[in-house]
Amino acid sequence: MYRRTMLETTRTYVARITNHEQVRDDLDQCGFSASKLW
């Protein structure tokens, strides 16, 4: 019988935000929503 091994991949994305004032509220809402998943 074969054993299945799970592979784990971690990816990190780096971005630079140049218009932070325009997207701040949207990013805050995304962060808040994402924190509820954990």
Side-chain angles (χ1 to χ4, degrees), residues 1-22:
M1 201 166 218
Y2 293 102
R3 283 186 81 186
R4 287 186 148 180
T5 56
M6 294 184 68
L7 297 176
E8 183 177 320
T9 301
T10 302
R11 291 192 173 113
T12 302
Y13 295 96
V14 178
R16 181 168 294 144
I17 300 169
T18 57
N19 60 339
H20 185 261
E21 304 244 335
Q22 294 174 352

Side-chain angles (χ1 to χ4, degrees), residues 17-29:
I17 300 169
T18 57
N19 60 339
H20 185 261
E21 304 244 335
Q22 294 174 352
V23 298
R24 178 181 57 218
D25 292 337
D26 291 333
L27 289 175
D28 285 344
Q29 186 62 39

